[in-house]
Amino acid sequence: MRKHNLVHVLLLSIFLYSCQQGVDFAERNNPGNELLVKTVNKSAGDSVITHYIYDHARRLVREKREGFRNGSNVGNDILLVRNSAGILTKMIEKAPYLLASGVDSVLTEYVYNNTLKRYTHCIITTQQQSVSVRDSIVFIYNSAGKIIVDDHFQYVSINPHIARYRQEYVYSAAGNVDSVKMVDQDPVTGEYTMSFYVAYTYDNKVNPLQMGNDALLMTRPEFTGPNNEVSTAVVTLYSPSSNYSYSKVLAYKINGKPETGVMTRLPEGSTTNLTYYYQ
């Protein structure tokens, strides 16, 4: 099996945790005035708190996660830098797992085409010791302005082109991301091989954080559409023992947004209590 480079592994780790025509912002189609400001996930011996912070125009500008799961620190801090029009220009991520890999932070810089009204590509840069790792991502859209493919072109300062892969997104009629597939390209033969696949199902209630294409820029597919993710199945082809799934039973506020819930993860059968906070 081909060895994955650092950026590939980091992006896959981010994605598995969370496992445009025009600009898509938080609360774009979100009924009611309240914003989701915090979620708390509690299980046996563990607690994870995620804070959501917005600018004056109610656009998400920071996601900060704190806590431990199975004894591991799952903290993560994502800063979203937007221009005066709300367009994402940068994303800066810091996390304990990055530091453990010798990386202080990951910087993503987005390029937006004002004529097309969409993000065209971005550059992700990490610095590990004396080696600079860069991942250039090009976004491909469907006729409705939704991202359906992001093509990754990876570079290392000591070896210009070492790997390529892509992520493919399939949407439901409602606009939720139904599935995500990652396929790796062999740098020698050019052949694509699927490495992992994620399938989602949703309720018909109100997603409190609807971000459209911006959610995919953050590797948060569950925040793309109008409804709440209630089950997820993750299949990792190069490590089948890592496969898992989980389902959620949610209770809702009168406005249809989730208030509490219980998440069950398989195959181990562990449960996590979920609480959503608004203001």
Side-chain angles (χ1 to χ4, degrees):
M1 180 186 68
R2 179 169 58 83
K3 183 178 179 181
H4 293 67
N5 73 12
L6 176 64
V7 173
H8 192 164
V9 173
L10 295 180
L11 288 173
L12 180 58
S13 298
I14 297 168
F15 186 91
L16 290 178
Y17 178 85
S18 62
C19 344
Q20 63 218 249
Q21 183 174 331
V23 183
D24 297 286
F25 301 125
E27 293 289 310
R28 181 190 59 176
N29 295 314
N30 202 347
N33 293 321
E34 62 185 10
L35 292 170
L36 177 69
V37 295
K38 182 173 69 172
T39 60
V40 178
N41 297 1
K42 289 188 176 181
S43 56
D46 291 326
S47 178
V48 178
I49 300 173
T50 304
H51 301 271
Y52 300 97
I53 301 168
Y54 305 85
D55 64 12
H56 68 282
R58 301 165 62 85
R59 299 179 292 237
L60 187 69
V61 293
R62 190 179 185 186
E63 179 194 82
K64 185 176 183 180
R65 185 172 70 234
E66 304 169 303
F68 290 81
R69 178 175 292 109
N70 298 325
S72 298
N73 189 337
V74 295
N76 195 47
D77 195 355
I78 295 177
L79 178 66
L80 302 174
V81 180
R82 300 182 183 272
N83 64 17
S84 59
I87 296 166
L88 277 174
T89 59
K90 295 179 182 180
M91 181 172 73
I92 303 167
E93 180 179 11
K94 296 185 176 184
Y97 80 90
L98 292 174
L99 289 174
S101 300
V103 177
D104 176 67
S105 62
V106 176
L107 170 65
T108 304
E109 298 172 281
Y110 300 99
V111 177
Y112 185 81
N113 186 306
N114 285 304
T115 301
L116 297 176
K117 303 298 183 184
R118 61 183 57 177
Y119 300 96
T120 58
H121 64 282
C122 67
I123 304 294
I124 302 174
T125 305
T126 66
Q127 186 74 31
Q128 187 180 35
Q129 298 177 351
S130 60
V131 179
S132 177
V133 182
R134 305 185 74 197
D135 183 13
S136 175
I137 305 176
V138 176
F139 304 110
I140 300 173
Y141 297 78
N142 64 13
S143 59
K146 297 180 182 295
I147 294 175
I148 55 172
V149 172
D150 48 50
D151 270 321
H152 296 237
F153 301 88
Q154 298 180 333
Y155 301 84
V156 176
S157 58
I158 60 175
N159 188 359
H161 181 227
I162 63 171
R164 291 185 295 176
Y165 67 95
R166 62 168 41 185
Q167 293 185 159
E168 302 173 355
Y169 305 95
V170 176
Y171 294 84
S172 68
N176 302 302
V177 171
D178 270 356
S179 65
V180 181
K181 179 172 66 174
M182 176 182 282
V183 291
D184 295 329
Q185 186 183 43
D186 188 292
V188 177
T189 67
E191 295 181 355
Y192 283 102
T193 304
M194 185 167 68
S195 58
F196 85 89
Y197 179 85
V198 185
Y200 302 94
T201 61
Y202 298 84
D203 60 17
N204 60 357
K205 301 295 185 178
V206 180
N207 184 349
L209 195 55
Q210 302 173 35
M211 297 180 63
N213 288 325
D214 279 14
L216 299 184
L217 303 186
M218 292 179 63
T219 64
R220 299 288 189 271
E222 68 275 19
F223 292 149
T224 301
N227 306 121
N228 299 287
E229 165 210 11
V230 292
S231 72
T232 299
V234 178
V235 178
T236 307
L237 276 70
Y238 59 81
S239 180
S241 62
S242 300
N243 295 349
Y244 67 91
S245 65
Y246 61 81
S247 61
K248 299 176 184 176
V249 177
L250 299 174
Y252 303 91
K253 296 164 60 70
I254 194 171
N255 61 9
K257 298 178 183 179
E259 185 170 30
T260 59
V262 177
M263 180 174 68
T264 302
R265 176 170 170 143
L266 298 175
E268 62 267 34
S270 61
T271 59
T272 302
N273 294 317
L274 314 173
T275 308
Y276 301 77
Y277 295 86
Y278 303 86
Q279 71 177 30

